[in-house]
Amino acid sequence: MNVIEVRGLKKSFGGLEVLRGIDLTVTAGERIAIIGGSGCGKSVFLRSLEMLDVPDAGQIFVDGEEITAPDVDIDRVRRKIGMVWQKFNLFTHMNVMENLTVAPVKLLGLSRDEARQKALELLSQVGLTSKAESYPEFLSGGQQQRIAICRSLMMNPKVILFDEPTSALDPTMVGEVLAVIRMLAKQSLTMIIVTHEMNFARDVATRVLFFADGVIYEQGTPAEIFDAPKLPKTVAFIHKQKYFSREISSRDFDLMELQGGIQTFAEKYGLSVRRTNRLQLCCEELIYEMLANACEGDDVKISVDVTYSEADDSVAIKFSCAGHRYNPLDKNFDALDEDDLGATILRGLAKNYSHEYDGGVNRINFNLA
């Protein structure tokens, strides 16, 4: 059964188009993790599911009811959706028990004794029975977030939405909240979780959505998204890739400007002095090797693209050069003489390397040792 169905969801703020047509179906028991860079629309999407941000276009169905319909009783449909925010949002003038029981008594018609019994059962599950009479100000951030999760469960929701539930926590408290969500996952609750915790998403989710450019850019199982992403922006996000690029169109290009750009890039992302020097040397030798052996006269078309991956601390260079076929490392290195110094240097810098020639362009992929 479909718990959530979204068709063509769009949302803009002024001239900023945040959601550009989201389609999604969530079935009962699914655990959806939503990942993506800051500002890609993840939280706006969650807020739209509860009509806290009213969509500009599209339809949203919750347990078969269209919450976007003009005559819908929004408050009644919202009761089917639990929401756990970044900042807990507990009522500060109420103790824990009152925070948990006020909504079920007023909205679901439970007696105070029934609500209290259910609250105690949930508090026991999250290890906070002793805090039933405490006020939020006397609880840690992790404890408050666990109470917020219990408050959501008190309403027997069809689906629970988590909007980066650990982002406001001290790192020492993150684990206790993630442990509670993992416990809920074992109970086959339907959940949609916006998170920056990639390992957590891998462990808990049945499906992962990567948001980019206002759409679901790529989706799949955790193994498909985290181990074998197919699309460029997903690859860059998962591997935390950073880029530096330059185009060279003249033999008298500004080498110092290029090397200065590499230096700034390397310092920004914490590359060691040794690796920075090796990266600069590799780019310089590749350029001059190709200028000397592949480029035709003054017709120079060279591009240098450097990628640093924080995930595995690797540095890769993609190098293209129009002109004659030339592979600077396709040589007998036992017979090199002093005129082949550049090729010798490149061999010493390479961890692995590939070359192809297609359509009059040399393309070199070079991984720095």
Side-chain angles (χ1 to χ4, degrees):
M1 178 180 178
N2 295 339
V3 178
I4 297 284
E5 187 175 356
V6 180
R7 303 174 185 170
L9 189 67
K10 296 183 179 181
K11 179 63 181 178
S12 298
F13 296 93
L16 178 62
E17 193 176 23
V18 179
L19 303 178
R20 298 194 299 111
I22 302 291
D23 296 299
L24 177 66
T25 299
V26 181
T27 59
E30 271 201 290
R31 301 180 299 277
I32 307 293
I34 301 178
I35 62 174
S38 298
C40 70
K42 306 184 298 295
S43 294
V44 172
F45 176 68
L46 282 198
R47 290 176 59 84
S48 296
L49 294 182
E50 282 204 295
M51 297 293 286
L52 298 175
D53 284 334
V54 179
D56 300 324
Q59 294 174 290
I60 301 169
F61 296 85
V62 179
D63 195 31
E65 293 189 80
E66 185 183 354
I67 196 171
T68 47
D71 57 349
V72 70
D73 183 347
I74 291 179
D75 290 334
R76 182 180 56 80
V77 179
R78 278 180 180 152
R79 295 172 197 170
K80 300 181 180 184
I81 305 174
M83 187 78 184
V84 179
W85 308 91
Q86 299 176 25
K87 295 292 182 69
F88 328 134
N89 291 341
L90 299 178
F91 298 119
T92 58
H93 64 290
M94 295 182 180
N95 65 26
V96 167
M97 183 57 65
E98 290 167 337
N99 264 281
L100 296 182
T101 58
V102 61
V105 168
K106 290 187 175 182
L107 300 177
L108 298 184
L110 268 65
S111 70
R112 293 190 182 278
D113 287 342
E114 290 172 329
R116 182 177 179 83
Q117 182 59 38
K118 182 173 182 178
L120 288 172
E121 291 173 0
L122 290 172
L123 288 173
S124 177
Q125 290 183 40
V126 300
L128 290 176
T129 305
S130 64
K131 302 296 183 181
E133 305 304 323
S134 299
Y135 283 82
E137 63 181 303
F138 299 108
L139 303 178
S140 70
Q143 290 171 337
Q144 290 189 60
Q145 193 63 296
R146 282 187 276 166
I147 297 301
I149 294 171
C150 289
R151 182 178 59 181
S152 177
L153 293 170
M154 288 290 295
M155 296 296 290
N156 298 322
K158 294 289 185 178
V159 58
I160 304 179
L161 312 180
F162 294 87
D163 186 10
E164 297 187 26
T166 62
S167 64
L169 298 178
D170 182 282
T172 60
M173 301 175 186
V174 169
E176 64 192 69
V177 173
L178 297 185
V180 170
I181 301 175
R182 285 190 175 95
M183 177 190 70
L184 298 180
K186 294 178 181 178
Q187 298 175 14
S188 298
L189 291 174
T190 308
M191 298 186 285
I192 303 177
I193 309 166
V194 168
T195 182
H196 287 297
E197 303 283 346
M198 298 298 104
N199 290 333
F200 168 71
R202 178 194 290 270
D203 292 343
V204 169
T206 55
R207 185 162 36 132
V208 178
L209 313 181
F210 175 63
F211 271 41
D213 301 330
V215 298
I216 299 174
Y217 181 80
E218 186 170 354
Q219 63 177 300
T221 66
E224 289 169 338
I225 296 299
F226 292 114
D227 297 333
K230 296 180 175 62
L231 301 180
K233 290 184 179 181
T234 317
V235 173
F237 180 82
I238 295 300
H239 296 291
K240 299 181 180 179
Q241 293 177 342
K242 312 299 181 183
Y243 300 99
F244 169 85
S245 63
R246 283 293 186 276
E247 301 288 333
I248 297 170
S249 58
S250 172
R251 288 184 177 273
D252 60 352
F253 72 100
D254 190 343
L255 176 62
M256 292 302 100
E257 190 276 335
L258 171 67
Q259 300 293 47
I262 292 174
Q263 180 76 34
T264 300
F265 171 81
E267 289 177 353
K268 181 177 181 180
Y269 297 112
L271 274 65
S272 68
V273 173
R274 179 176 181 272
R275 292 181 81 191
T276 302
N277 291 339
R278 291 167 69 84
L279 175 58
Q280 290 174 318
L281 182 58
C282 180
C283 290
E284 180 177 341
E285 292 301 330
L286 275 172
I287 291 168
Y288 281 118
E289 276 284 317
M290 302 309 278
L291 284 174
N293 297 282
C295 294
E296 303 173 2
D298 293 328
D299 187 15
V300 176
K301 293 181 181 179
I302 294 175
S303 67
V304 180
D305 296 284
V306 177
T307 301
Y308 170 60
S309 174
E310 293 180 1
D312 59 5
D313 194 35
S314 64
V315 178
I317 303 168
K318 289 187 176 181
F319 186 93
S320 69
C321 175
H324 300 298
R325 176 191 292 271
Y326 179 69
N327 183 349
L329 291 184
D330 186 21
K331 297 182 179 183
N332 179 0
F333 279 80
D334 293 329
L336 292 179
D337 57 31
E338 60 183 14
D339 292 332
D340 293 306
L341 178 60
T344 304
I345 291 172
L346 287 171
R347 173 59 66 89
L349 296 172
K351 181 178 182 180
N352 51 62
Y353 167 94
S354 67
H355 170 271
E356 65 176 18
Y357 185 73
D358 181 56
V361 178
N362 294 279
R363 293 184 175 85
I364 297 170
N365 292 315
F366 192 104
N367 289 308
L368 200 63

